[in-house]
């Protein structure tokens, strides 16, 4: 399966780019680095996982991507709370992380079902 055709990869790559663009002027380099790294980890792990041969390996990286999505959501909540991220922008990113997480869950479930059907 070509990861570049997956909607979840496209959506997460777009979110990662949005994070970098929106936070490029943020002077808290530690926060900026952490939030952009967790955002970048999502599409990167999807790409790595979907490039693996077995469904077990694919699922492993998709679970990591889902964890990075939860990490990013936490950082967005904190960013809103401390005034680094506007309420409106934060709500949008929070919804995007929820959508991506749900899409990842569906993909993980599909891969599990496929593996169970083969076993």
């Amino acid at each position: 399966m070509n990861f570049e055709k997956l909607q979840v990869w496209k959506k997460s790559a777009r979110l990662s780019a949005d994070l970098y663009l929106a936070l490029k002027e943020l002077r808290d380099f530690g926060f900026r680095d952490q939030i952009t790294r967790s955002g970048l980890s999502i599409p990167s792990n999807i790409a790595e996982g979907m490039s693996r041969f077995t469904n077990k390996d694919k699922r492993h990286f998709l679970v990591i991507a889902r964890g990075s999505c939860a990490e990013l959501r936490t950082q967005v909540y904190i960013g809103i709370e401390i005034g680094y991220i506007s309420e409106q922008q934060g709500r949008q990113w929070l919804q995007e992380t929820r959508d991506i997480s749900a899409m990842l869950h569906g993909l993980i479930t599909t891969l599990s079902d496929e593996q169970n059907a083969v076993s």
Side-chain angles (χ1 to χ4, degrees):
M1 186 179 301
N2 184 347
F3 70 86
E4 293 159 307
K5 293 183 180 180
L6 292 172
Q7 290 304 313
V8 68
W9 179 81
K10 291 176 184 177
K11 188 173 184 68
S12 62
R14 210 171 18 254
L15 175 58
S16 180
D18 287 349
L19 290 165
Y20 274 94
L21 292 172
L23 300 172
K24 68 182 176 185
E25 301 297 325
L26 183 63
R27 297 185 63 88
D28 183 336
F29 302 114
F31 183 85
R32 185 178 70 197
D33 180 61
Q34 189 66 36
I35 196 169
T36 54
R37 284 169 43 120
S38 62
L40 183 60
S41 178
I42 302 166
S44 298
N45 277 291
I46 294 168
E48 184 167 359
M50 297 313 292
S51 299
R52 298 295 175 129
F53 290 109
T54 68
N55 282 357
K56 182 179 178 183
D57 284 345
K58 289 175 183 171
R59 284 194 325 267
H60 172 75
F61 283 94
L62 294 176
V63 168
I64 293 170
R66 194 172 59 181
S68 294
C69 200
E71 180 182 357
L72 173 59
R73 190 161 47 252
T74 298
Q75 293 159 355
V76 171
Y77 278 119
I78 293 167
I80 293 167
E81 185 70 26
I82 61 177
Y84 287 174
I85 300 170
S86 73
E87 185 80 28
Q88 179 181 357
Q89 180 67 80
R91 276 188 268 118
Q92 179 184 338
W93 286 342
L94 291 171
Q95 187 57 52
E96 288 181 42
T97 60
R98 288 185 198 102
D99 294 346
I100 290 166
S101 186
M103 294 168 84
L104 286 167
H105 178 76
L107 189 51
I108 292 164
T109 301
T110 298
L111 291 170
S112 293
D113 291 347
E114 286 176 5
Q115 182 163 348
N116 292 336
V118 172
S119 301

